[in-house]
Amino acid sequence: MMKMPARVVGEEKVKLKKSFIKPWMGIKYLFKKPVTIKIPYEKIEPAPKYRGFHTLDWKKCVGCNFCGQICPARAIEMTWIEVNGHIATRPHPKVDYGRCTFCQFCVDVCPTGALGFSENYYLTTGGLEEDLELYDWVPIHPDKVRELNEKFNDYRFPVERIKFNKETREVTYYLRDGSTIQFKILGYGLRPPKPPAKPAAKPAEKKEGPKAEEKKE
Ligand code: SF4
Ligand code: SF4
């Protein structure tokens, strides 16, 4: 196979116009207000109907997975949960913000209006590994998010910390107003999780009656 020679424009062909003024033109930006803001110390008002973090009414959600099917980023995982000892009869969506593009297709397709979105857009952490739990959550009720927004008025993520116990699979949301939401994750997918297998019964020990003793003799 014949190799084509790579074509590179010679430096001599690049026209450089020397200018005395251009290097000094950047000085004007020293006197302009920065366009960036200092998160988390400053905030900007989101546009009306800004598509921020999700909200979910757990009672309205029927577990149809329309949201999971339409999600172009595959950010939704249907999750079986247990609240106060009651196992939910349908799974609910869990959103992975490492993948979500905030397109809100999931909200548009939700037939019951269970899934919604808030105007909240701030999510900053201290960079600890446990903070990663905040980026993968089953959203909470819109009324609670509204209440927190009215109290803090800063568009931050409504939960400060999420603790997930890998052994017991218990999840605790520590909300910004000091309250908590607790539930248990039983499994993922559309089918209900299988109940944990019971430990195998020990084989019954053979009782040695008087007849067995006679045989021995
Ligand atoms: S949030 Fe809506 S679309 Fe998603 S499973 Fe629940 S009811 Fe279905
Ligand atoms: S907003 Fe878009 S990307 Fe994010 S979970 Fe919904 S459908 Fe998926």
Side-chain angles (χ1 to χ4, degrees):
M1 214 170 89
M2 235 178 70
K3 273 192 178 176
M4 295 293 286
R7 292 185 65 193
V8 180
V9 178
E11 271 185 34
E12 68 284 354
K13 288 191 179 172
V14 179
K15 286 177 188 170
L16 287 175
K17 256 192 181 178
K18 286 184 183 173
S19 167
F20 176 76
I21 300 165
K22 270 187 181 170
W24 299 99
M25 282 172 76
I27 290 177
K28 69 181 176 194
Y29 293 105
L30 290 176
F31 306 101
K32 283 193 173 178
K33 209 180 159 207
V35 289
T36 52
I37 59 165
K38 290 177 187 170
I39 288 177
Y41 308 108
E42 289 178 42
K43 64 169 183 177
I44 46 173
E45 295 297 320
K49 296 194 178 175
Y50 179 83
R51 300 187 300 227
F53 299 118
H54 296 79
T55 60
L56 179 70
D57 185 335
W58 294 6
K59 282 185 183 161
K60 271 191 188 174
C61 174
V62 293
C64 61
N65 190 36
F66 284 0
C67 51
Q69 280 180 330
I70 204 165
C71 177
R74 298 196 177 172
I76 287 181
E77 189 169 29
M78 297 307 285
T79 308
W80 291 85
I81 61 176
E82 181 186 306
V83 188
N84 298 330
H86 297 289
I87 300 172
T89 50
R90 300 293 172 98
H92 299 320
K94 183 162 69 64
V95 184
D96 179 351
Y97 287 114
R99 305 184 73 106
C100 176
T101 58
F102 297 90
C103 65
Q104 306 295 358
F105 284 178
C106 52
V107 176
D108 291 344
V109 83
C110 178
T112 62
L115 200 59
F117 59 90
S118 62
E119 290 179 336
N120 300 42
Y121 62 93
Y122 276 79
L123 176 48
T124 55
T125 70
L128 300 173
E129 191 154 337
E130 64 200 47
D131 293 336
L132 291 175
E133 298 291 347
L134 290 167
Y135 293 87
D136 200 8
W137 79 326
V138 180
I140 58 171
H141 200 284
D143 288 351
K144 190 65 197 176
V145 177
R146 217 169 287 125
E147 184 191 318
L148 291 167
N149 283 352
E150 277 166 17
K151 186 167 183 187
F152 295 101
N153 191 29
D154 59 4
Y155 307 109
R156 295 198 66 168
F157 194 67
V159 183
E160 272 183 336
R161 193 160 63 91
I162 294 180
K163 197 173 150 199
F164 177 51
N165 187 327
K166 284 180 184 160
E167 281 174 16
T168 60
R169 306 195 68 79
E170 279 168 342
V171 183
T172 310
Y173 288 175
Y174 295 90
L175 307 189
R176 300 184 66 198
D177 61 356
S179 59
T180 56
I181 295 175
Q182 285 175 312
F183 61 96
K184 213 178 203 181
I185 292 185
L186 303 175
Y188 303 102
L190 295 179
R191 291 176 188 278
K194 286 179 187 163
K198 287 179 185 169
K202 284 182 185 176
E205 285 179 17
K206 282 182 183 174
K207 283 182 184 176
E208 291 195 349
K211 280 186 183 175
E213 279 170 16
E214 277 171 21
K215 277 183 186 175
K216 275 182 191 174
E217 283 168 10

